[in-house]
Structures are given as structure tokens and as C-alpha cells.
Amino acid sequence: ACSSGIGFGLPYLTPLLLADVNHLSAFTSSLFMFPGAAITALLAKKGGELADKKGNVVLAYIALSFYFICFISLSIIVGHSPYLIMVAIIFGYIAQSFCQMSLANTVSQVLPSTQTGVGMGLFMLTNFVGSSIATTLMGTSLNDHNGVSGYTNIYIILSIIVVGMGIIYT
């Protein structure tokens, strides 16, 4: 649930950030977000291969590291060039893909084959619930704290959550 929650911080917060702080249109914002999605699509197969060769734990730690790099960078560069934001969210999109890959793979490997379908369904349900709660909290926080400081605070909190996820995963 935490993984989905923080992962949804990117497609939810980035357009708002680029519109509110950088004053970009929705179309222009999407152009700055596109490279992250494209690079992630290109690297998805490599993530799967890495999970198969090195294991889900290695892929999960890479994902958590990339999430941390993304959110710490975003907390620092809010209000600066959208090109810097574009580079930072590339790490976040890759992290989101790798994290979901490693968690789904873990669920499918841990459960007996008779329970895999139900387990994956429950996994997806927690993803939906986590992302819904997270976007609600982020939106509420932005209503209470507008501007650069609101986004900076959210990204710092997301960085702290990533560290917490790393500790729990360990």
C-alpha cells in the first residue's frame, strides 16, 4: 500500500507542481513527464531480468534507492527548471515500476499456487486503497500549504516514508 501511495505521488503531484509553481499548461507538463514513462517502459524488461538473476530483494532495494533519489531531489528543486524536475521523476517512474515488479513477484512466489489468484487480487486491492488514501492526503496537504513549501514538505515526507519502507522491508 505504501509503495502504491508514494508511487502515485508522481503522476498526481507532478502535473500540479508544473502547473502551480512552474506555470506550465497541461500539455506542456505532459511533455516533461513523458521521458520518464518512456525510459521506464524501455527498462521494464531489464528490471524483470534483474529480479530473475539477482532476486526480488535486490530489485526492491534499487527501487527504494531510486524513490529516495527522486523525492529528495524534488524537495530540493521545487520551483526550479522543469527540466530538472523531468530528470528527477525519471528515477521515480523507474522506482515505481521496479517496486511493483518486485512486490508482485514476491507475492506470486510466496503463496501456494492455489492461493496466488486471491493473493494477487488482495495485492491489487491494497494498491488501490493505498493510492487513494495517499492522493487524498497529498491533495489535502496542498490545500493547506500552497506553493513551493507545500510541495517541498510533501516530497520530504515521501522521502521519509521511503526510508521507513526500506527499514520495514529489511
Side-chain angles (χ1 to χ4, degrees), residues 49-147:
E49 291 171 356
L50 186 61
D52 290 340
K53 289 179 185 173
K54 300 287 185 180
N56 295 323
V57 173
V58 170
L59 190 62
Y61 282 123
I62 290 170
L64 291 171
S65 299
F66 278 19
Y67 266 141
F68 188 78
I69 290 167
C70 172
F71 293 133
I72 282 293
S73 298
L74 286 170
S75 73
I76 295 168
I77 62 176
V78 168
H80 291 86
S81 169
Y83 291 100
L84 294 173
I85 294 167
M86 179 180 67
V87 171
I89 64 173
I90 289 171
F91 285 96
Y93 282 149
I94 294 168
Q96 185 177 21
S97 173
F98 284 10
C99 199
Q100 287 300 307
M101 215 180 293
S102 106
L103 291 174
N105 201 10
T106 299
V107 169
S108 69
Q109 289 176 349
V110 169
L111 295 175
S113 61
T114 57
Q115 296 177 352
T116 302
V118 172
M120 291 304 290
L122 185 61
F123 174 67
M124 293 308 298
L125 174 67
T126 59
N127 283 342
F128 290 130
V129 170
S131 59
S132 299
I133 292 170
T135 53
T136 300
L137 293 173
M138 288 179 220
T140 302
S141 179
L142 285 177
N143 281 341
D144 295 342
H145 303 95
N146 256 346

